[in-house]
Amino acid sequence: MRHVISLLIENESGALSRVSGLFSARGYNIESLTVAPTEDPSLSRMTIVTTGSDEIVEQITKQLNKLVDVVKVVDISESAHIERELLLVKVRATGKDREEIKRTSDIFRGHIIDVTDASYVIELTGTQNKLDSFLGALDASLILETVRSGICGIGRGDRVLKV
Amino acid sequence: MMLSGAEIVVRCLQEEKVEYVFGYPGGAVLFLYDELFKQDQIRHVLVRHEQAAVHAADGYARSTEKVGVALVTSGPGATNAVTGIATAYCDSIPVVIISGQVPTAAIGQDAFQEVDTVGITRPCVKHNFLVKRVEDIAPTIKKAFYLAASGRPGPVLVDIPKDITVAKCEFDYPKSISMRSYSPVSKGHQGQIKKAVQLLMEAKRPMIYAGGGAVLGNAAEQLTKLTKLLGFPITTTLMGLGGYPASDRQYLGMPGMHGTFEANMSMHFCDVLLAVGSRFDDRVIGNPAHFAEEPRKIIHIDIDPSSISKRVKVDVPIVGNIIDVLDEMIRAVEASTRRPEEDTLATWWKQVEEWRRRDCLKFKHDGEIIKPQFVVQKLWEVTNGDAFVTSDVGQHQMWAAQYYRFDKPRRWLNSGGLGTMGVGLPYAMGAQFAHPGSPVACVTGEASIQMCIQELSTCKQFRLPIKIVNLNNRYLGMVRQWQQIFHGGRYSESYMDSLPDFAKLAEAYGHVGLRIDKAGDVEGALREAFQRKNDLVFLDFQVDPTENVYPMVQGGKGLTEMILSAEDL
C-alpha cells in the first residue's frame, strides 16, 4: 500500500540524512521525499511517499518518531488529504507541434513558462496521476527533459500538523 | 568568567559527576587532555585501543546505573570507537562519547585524521552532534547525558572540532533541558494496565519473559515482586539475566537458541505471555511463524514503542517505564480480590516441572578432561554466585549464561545484540573501576580474548585485579559447532594454530598466569586466583575441544525443535 507520511523535523544540518539513512538502513522504500523549511525557520517539513504493508508502515512511523530530531509524524494518507506535485518539462516545439503542445498543456492547465523558437518549458502541478497522464499525452519523442518535485501533502479540513 | 571550550567540556563532565573517562589522546583533543591534566576530580583511564575505551565505558554503565564516558581523537580514534558504539547501541547502554574533530575550517578538506564522524556513527547512536560554536558545548553535553540515560538509553556522540576547544565564552551549565522533539513516555496507559492484569488473572498457562529492559530499567525488584505475587513461571533472556533471581524455584532459566528446555516449552505453550522489556529477538523466539502457530495472548511492556509488534503481534501493548508500569501492576494485583485459579495454575506447574525434569543442562563429566561447563559451575561456587561476570562472544558466553546463576541485576555483562568479540576484558575493567572491592571475572575464550588482549597493559597500569577465565578449546568454538552440525564437519578456518602461551603472556604484562590441564585442578586454581585480591590472574583452562552448547534451536527452527544433546545430532 502507498502511504504519504508528513513530518516536522528540527531544521539542522544532517536532519535529512537521519531520515534517508533510516529508510536505507531498515530497507524501507522511498518513492519520493520533499523537504523545505516551514514558516518557522527552525523547523523543516518533509513529505515522504512510501510503500509497504500495514505492519511495515507502522514500523516506519514508529522509527521516524524515535529519531531525536523529529518533532511530529503523521500518516496523512490515513484520511482525506491533498497531494500536489510540480512538473517541469522541456519539449521540442517546432512547426505544427507548437500549437498541438500548447493545446494539450491548456487542457491540463499547464503553463508555458519558457519559449524559444525550438522549445517550450511547461509547468504543471497536480497529483502524481495527473502528471503521469500529461506526460502520456505528449508525444514521447518530443520530450527533451523532465523534472518532478515529488509530492507535497496536507490534510483536508481542520486537521493541522503543527508544533 | 570566560572559559575555553576545552575547560567547558571538563567542567560539564564534572557537573555530570563523571568519575571516570576512558580514552586515548590525539591531535584533535590535545586541549581537552590539557584541561583533564589540570584537575583531579575526574580520573582518566588510558586504554590501549579506542574500541576498549568505549567498551570499558559501556561496562561501567552496565554494572552501575550511571552513564559511561569515553573520549577519543578524530579520524582513526573515532573509527576505532565505532565497534564500541555499535555494541552499546544494540544493547541500549547509556554512553556519552566525546570525539575530537579537525578544526572547523579544515572540515571537508580531507585534512589529516579527518573523517565524517557524525556521518559514520549516525546509524549506531541514539543521537549525535557536531558542535559548531563554543557557546553550544555546554547545552550539547547536557543534552547528550539526558538523551543517553532517558527513555530507551543508548550511546550519544558529541564531535568537537579542535578550534572550538580553544575558543572562549561564558560558562553556564543548564540545570535542565527540554527538547520539543524528544519526550520519552514514562507512565503506562491505565486502561492497558488494567486489561493486562485482567488477562493475567484469567490465564491458565501463564508465563513471564523478561529482557534487558528489566535490568536497564532498574526494575528487578518490581519484576521479582510481581512474579512472586502471581506465582507464575519466569524466564529471563541473555540480556535479562539477574533481573530475577536464578536460584528461585519459579525461574526456568534462559529462553531461546541456547535456552533451557523448560523455558522454551513454556514460552511456546503458554496461553498468556507477559513480556517485560524484551523484544522477541530472533535468538529468543526462533522462527516467528512457528512461534505464532500456538495461540497465546501477549502483553508487552516496553519503553520503546518501536519494539512493540515489530516481530511478533502483541495483544496488549504497554508503552512506559518498566519500573512504573510494574509498580502499577503490583498495586492493581494487590487491590484485586481475584487471583489466578489455583488448581489450573498447579496443573500448569506440573507440566512445567515435567519439562524441567529433563535436566537439559546436564553434561557428561568424567575423567581428567576439563568440561567448560564445569569450570563455570565451579566459578559460581567459588564466588558464591556474587561476582561481576563479563563474557566475550561464542560458546563460553552461552556456558557462562547457562551455568552461572545470577541472582542480582547488573552482574552479567555481555554483548547480546551486536555479539562483539573482545568486549569481555574491557567490560571487566569498567565493572572493576565501578566496584573496586568486588570480584570481577571475565569468562572468555582463546579467540575472543585476543581481540582486546592489549588491555592487559591497562589493567596493569590501574592495578585491576580481574580474574580472566579462559575456556581454551583451540577452536572458534561456536563456529566449529555450526560447521559440525550444518557444514558436514568441514572446519573451515575455525581452528587456531600457534596460540600464545597465555600464562606467559599474562606474566609478560606483569600479571599472574596459570595453566590448568586437569579437571581436578579447576577448583583449586579458581580459589587461588580469587584469594589473590590484588592481582590480575589469567587462568588458561585447557578444555574439551569437542564440547558443544546444548540445548540448541537451529536457525529457522521453532522453539520446541531443540537439539538437547550430542545424541540428537
Side-chain angles (χ1 to χ4, degrees):
Chain A
M1 266 285 283
R2 176 178 177 277
H3 287 257
V4 181
I5 294 168
S6 282
L7 61 90
L8 293 172
I9 187 166
E10 297 288 353
N11 185 12
E12 277 170 22
S13 64
L16 174 62
S17 58
R18 288 184 204 280
V19 173
S20 60
L22 169 70
F23 274 75
S24 62
R26 294 193 180 263
Y28 304 144
N29 299 313
I30 300 184
E31 204 174 280
S32 77
L33 186 157
T34 65
V35 58
T38 63
E39 74 281 8
D40 170 357
S42 70
L43 282 174
S44 289
R45 173 147 172 168
M46 274 184 205
T47 308
I48 304 166
V49 179
T50 183
T51 51
S53 64
D54 289 352
E55 289 78 28
I56 287 174
V57 174
E58 186 186 330
Q59 265 299 311
I60 290 175
T61 53
K62 281 176 172 177
Q63 294 292 346
L64 285 169
N65 262 312
K66 209 163 117 176
L67 292 177
V68 168
D69 277 342
V70 169
V71 184
K72 268 193 178 157
V73 180
V74 176
D75 182 349
I76 62 166
S77 53
E78 276 184 341
S79 53
H81 69 285
I82 300 158
E83 293 175 21
R84 287 293 180 272
E85 183 173 10
L86 170 69
L87 163 75
L88 298 176
V89 54
K90 188 177 283 180
V91 289
R92 185 181 300 116
T94 50
K96 62 178 183 0
D97 288 339
R98 288 178 82 87
E99 221 5 69
E100 178 61 24
I101 292 167
K102 171 78 171 66
R103 262 200 302 277
T104 313
S105 166
D106 286 347
I107 292 168
F108 282 86
R109 298 201 180 85
H111 302 285
I112 295 173
I113 54 172
D114 182 62
V115 180
T116 69
D117 52 5
S119 72
Y120 288 154
V121 173
I122 305 165
E123 169 199 334
L124 186 66
T125 58
T127 61
Q128 281 181 323
N129 275 342
K130 178 181 166 180
L131 304 189
D132 291 343
S133 309
F134 175 63
L135 289 174
L138 292 174
D139 180 348
S141 66
L142 298 179
I143 297 175
L144 299 170
E145 186 182 349
T146 63
V147 54
R148 296 172 70 151
S149 63
I151 73 146
C152 287
I154 197 164
R156 283 189 185 273
D158 295 338
R159 291 193 317 131
V160 166
L161 177 59
K162 227 178 150 88
V163 176
Chain B
M1 204 176 79
M2 302 281 272
L3 300 184
S4 74
E7 285 177 278
I8 290 173
V9 171
V10 172
R11 286 284 294 276
C12 290
L13 297 180
Q14 290 172 342
E15 291 281 340
E16 290 291 339
K17 308 264 183 298
V18 171
E19 294 177 283
Y20 293 102
V21 169
F22 301 90
Y24 204 101
V29 285
L30 277 172
F31 289 97
L32 283 169
Y33 272 85
D34 202 32
E35 291 308 321
L36 279 174
F37 186 83
K38 294 177 192 161
Q39 56 86 54
D40 55 10
Q41 190 177 326
I42 300 166
R43 273 187 79 191
H44 181 272
V45 177
L46 177 66
V47 296
R48 301 304 188 254
H49 186 291
E50 288 90 348
Q51 180 186 346
V54 184
H55 287 330
D58 170 346
Y60 174 88
R62 283 176 202 248
S63 71
T64 60
E65 294 171 19
K66 299 175 194 162
V67 176
V69 180
L71 172 58
V72 298
T73 193
S74 65
T79 54
N80 279 346
V82 169
T83 299
I85 297 171
T87 305
Y89 181 68
C90 287
D91 289 342
S92 309
I93 306 302
V95 181
V96 168
I97 304 98
I98 294 173
S99 56
Q101 183 53 278
V102 299
T104 317
I107 290 179
Q109 308 291 314
D110 300 324
F112 176 66
Q113 293 195 328
E114 180 191 358
V115 293
D116 174 11
T117 304
V118 165
I120 287 175
T121 57
R122 191 176 293 124
C124 60
V125 291
K126 182 169 174 184
H127 199 57
N128 58 18
F129 300 92
L130 172 63
V131 180
K132 290 183 182 150
R133 302 182 320 144
V134 64
E135 293 81 9
D136 292 341
I137 291 179
T140 304
I141 292 181
K142 180 80 189 172
K143 277 184 197 169
F145 276 86
Y146 169 60
L147 287 169
S150 61
R152 179 176 182 170
V156 178
L157 178 134
V158 182
D159 199 27
I160 310 178
K162 189 171 185 178
D163 56 319
I164 306 294
T165 64
V166 180
K168 288 188 169 184
C169 75
E170 288 290 335
F171 173 64
D172 178 27
Y173 200 61
K175 292 269 170 300
S176 65
I177 208 95
S178 93
M179 298 168 74
R180 62 179 171 184
S181 63
Y182 176 79
S183 50
V185 204
S186 60
K187 281 220 165 311
H189 189 277
Q190 287 300 318
Q192 292 292 87
I193 292 174
K194 226 171 114 183
K195 231 194 271 178
V197 169
Q198 194 179 346
L199 208 54
L200 291 171
M201 295 305 184
E202 288 164 2
K204 292 187 170 60
R205 299 183 308 280
M207 178 71 181
I208 301 173
Y209 146 57
V215 173
L216 293 174
N218 301 312
E221 196 189 315
Q222 283 74 7
L223 178 66
T224 308
K225 193 169 174 194
L226 181 69
T227 308
K228 289 272 167 208
L229 203 57
L230 294 166
F232 295 171
I234 178 169
T235 176
T236 58
T237 68
L238 182 70
M239 295 308 297
L241 296 179
Y244 186 89
S247 52
D248 187 78
R249 192 191 67 91
Q250 279 166 255
Y251 184 68
L252 304 188
M254 181 171 80
M257 182 171 272
H258 295 297
T260 64
F261 184 70
E262 54 270 33
N264 282 345
M265 295 300 274
S266 307
M267 282 277 285
H268 191 79
F269 291 108
C270 65
D271 71 336
V272 174
L273 182 64
L274 172 63
V276 183
S278 44
R279 57 189 179 100
F280 297 91
D281 180 78
D282 56 309
R283 287 294 193 265
V284 168
I285 59 155
N287 183 337
H290 181 272
F291 187 68
E293 275 170 19
E294 198 66 28
R296 68 178 86 66
K297 295 275 185 211
I298 300 177
I299 305 160
H300 190 179
I301 311 171
D302 208 287
I303 188 107
D304 177 5
S306 74
S307 278
I308 291 174
S309 290
K310 186 168 72 178
R311 300 192 73 244
V312 167
K313 196 103 190 79
V314 167
D315 302 279
V316 186
I318 306 174
V319 177
N321 251 343
I322 292 186
I323 195 164
D324 294 329
V325 175
L326 289 181
D327 263 332
E328 298 247 8
M329 286 176 83
I330 290 166
R331 271 200 294 279
V333 173
E334 281 173 340
S336 161
T337 49
R338 285 194 65 183
R339 282 291 175 275
E341 208 190 309
E342 266 179 45
D343 291 352
T344 321
L345 195 56
T347 312
W348 173 232
W349 266 112
K350 219 175 120 192
Q351 171 66 72
V352 172
E353 292 299 349
E354 203 180 300
W355 288 326
R356 178 145 49 190
R357 273 197 295 279
R358 291 286 285 265
D359 195 10
C360 67
L361 292 181
K362 68 173 179 286
F363 56 92
K364 281 207 193 84
H365 175 67
D366 42 27
E368 280 301 302
I369 190 148
I370 303 174
K371 288 287 179 179
Q373 303 95 319
F374 176 72
V375 177
V376 178
Q377 266 183 353
K378 284 291 161 198
L379 174 67
W380 178 70
E381 278 176 35
V382 166
T383 57
N384 300 314
D386 207 26
F388 288 84
V389 178
T390 75
S391 88
D392 276 298
V393 170
Q395 286 184 318
H396 68 269
Q397 176 192 23
M398 292 301 114
W399 286 317
Q402 290 174 328
Y403 294 90
Y404 199 98
R405 302 179 67 79
F406 294 92
D407 281 341
K408 293 179 193 157
R410 296 190 181 275
R411 293 297 171 109
W412 164 240
L413 288 69
N414 85 128
S415 167
L418 194 66
T420 309
M421 289 170 73
V423 296
L425 184 53
Y427 275 0
M429 287 159 43
Q432 191 76 80
F433 275 113
H435 308 275
S438 302
V440 176
C442 166
V443 178
T444 183
E446 79 293 337
S448 280
I449 191 68
Q450 293 191 82
M451 287 214 183
C452 270
I453 193 118
Q454 75 286 347
E455 297 308 316
L456 283 174
S457 176
T458 312
C459 293
K460 186 64 191 172
Q461 184 176 342
F462 292 89
R463 299 174 196 284
L464 301 176
I466 295 162
K467 312 305 173 209
I468 297 172
V469 177
N470 189 33
L471 302 179
N472 187 344
N473 59 7
R474 278 85 73 200
Y475 276 104
L476 308 182
M478 194 57 95
V479 173
R480 188 204 53 73
Q481 176 169 343
W482 283 55
Q483 288 172 337
Q484 178 192 345
I485 299 172
F486 307 120
H487 298 276
R490 293 180 298 281
Y491 299 123
S492 178
E493 303 299 320
S494 56
Y495 177 74
M496 241 181 216
D497 210 346
S498 307
L499 286 169
D501 179 331
F502 286 105
K504 277 197 183 141
L505 184 66
E507 282 166 15
Y509 276 105
H511 302 300
V512 178
L514 297 172
R515 179 187 160 110
I516 303 96
D517 294 282
K518 289 190 218 133
D521 297 337
V522 168
E523 186 172 343
L526 282 166
R527 288 205 186 277
E528 186 192 336
F530 281 95
Q531 273 155 12
R532 289 176 166 271
K533 296 253 184 269
N534 300 318
D535 295 319
L536 183 150
V537 183
F538 195 119
L539 296 140
D540 187 22
F541 292 99
Q542 308 301 307
V543 301
D544 184 352
T546 63
E547 191 56 85
N548 285 341
V549 181
Y550 299 111
M552 180 180 189
V553 178
Q554 299 179 35
K557 292 272 185 180
L559 264 191
T560 56
E561 301 165 313
M562 281 168 275
I563 304 171
L564 286 178
S565 67
E567 283 94 71
D568 288 354
L569 287 179

